[in-house]
Amino acid sequence: MEEQENSIPQIDPLDKEIASLKKRVAAMQKRLQIECSTILSSTPIQNIIQEASSTSSSSLLKSTLATKQPDTASSLQKRSAQQAAYMQQCTYRIAAPITAFKIRDPDPNAVDGGHVLGIRFEVMSQGHFLRPYYVMFNRPYPDSAHLRVHRHTVPPAIPVGGLAARHLPPPRSVDAQQQQTTQDLDRFARAMRREIVRFHNRLGLTADLRKTVGLQRKSRGAGAAVAPKDVVEAGIADVEAKHVKLAWADGRSGRILMDQDGKVEKFVVFGPEGRDWRMTRLLFDPRDGVDDIARKLRRYAET
């Protein structure tokens, strides 16, 4: 028994300090990278670098830095060009969140000779660009220019089939003697991006709730004391990210129901004896949003 107890790994305080220092160094490196990018993208620095590249004899930057690091000016010019290209790319992605392009299906048996139309959807969440989503179309209908969704990388929560049936209906047969259907690719693209943005907004609201109640802080160790009023779980409970489940340390649970735009429709709390109406009224008002509920949860835990 004593050998088994001694074999249990113990967390060394020095290891904790090393892990904390590593996190601080990573945060400082990220901050340094952001500050360097900000400085390089400023207009005065851009003017100085351009002067350094154009006039080699009377360059302020080269005269101050060439004594110790002769290639500093060229390195700054390269970094400045990379930063300018990155800013231009971000500007394009912000100004044109929906772009179309043509691709060729390499399959020799592909419909319509392998001609495929692709649409790219740009999405930003919490100040960062996410990986773009793609929807590709082909024309499988004979003697018709109607499009059909061929492939896509959109999350399952987005009703691609429903949007396609509404805005891109298939052509009707000639025997039906009915007016041919028309497709509206522009409305389909706008509706698709609206649904994608709504989906990521709901994900962002849940992430902000976790951050507000302290679930994203890594400083709390495994053996740290947890108060009965602390929220120990908060996460997405469905594919569409409309339900958020909550759990308290004292055994109570709760649910937040959001609509498409992230507005709170219902909020319930369940205790050992069923629905806890008192706590529900304490934490929720019909005019509250997810951020309001998160702040009330934090204040409730601190009391």
Side-chain angles (χ1 to χ4, degrees), residues 248 252-254 267-271 274-277 279-280 283:
W248 284 266
R252 285 174 296 182
S253 62
F267 175 74
V268 294
V269 179
F270 297 96
R275 190 163 179 176
D276 193 338
W277 293 97
M279 188 172 180
T280 301
L283 299 177

Side-chain angles (χ1 to χ4, degrees), residues 65-129:
L65 299 176
T67 56
K68 295 184 180 180
Q69 296 181 356
D71 60 339
T72 303
S74 60
S75 177
L76 285 177
Q77 293 171 9
K78 183 178 179 181
R79 290 287 303 273
S80 176
Q82 293 176 352
Q83 181 64 23
Y86 175 74
M87 292 178 60
Q88 186 179 23
Q89 180 185 9
C90 293
T91 302
Y92 287 159
R93 297 179 73 175
I94 294 174
I98 304 176
T99 54
F101 56 95
K102 294 181 180 180
I103 55 178
R104 187 67 178 267
D105 192 343
D107 187 359
N109 299 321
V111 300
D112 194 21
H115 296 285
V116 177
L117 174 65
I119 297 182
R120 181 190 297 108
F121 298 91
E122 299 284 356
V123 184
M124 178 181 286
S125 178
Q126 297 182 351
H128 299 279
F129 283 105

Side-chain angles (χ1 to χ4, degrees), residues 136-148:
M136 288 160 281
F137 307 88
N138 58 11
R139 292 176 174 175
Y141 309 107
D143 301 328
S144 176
H146 282 60
L147 298 172
R148 184 190 66 176

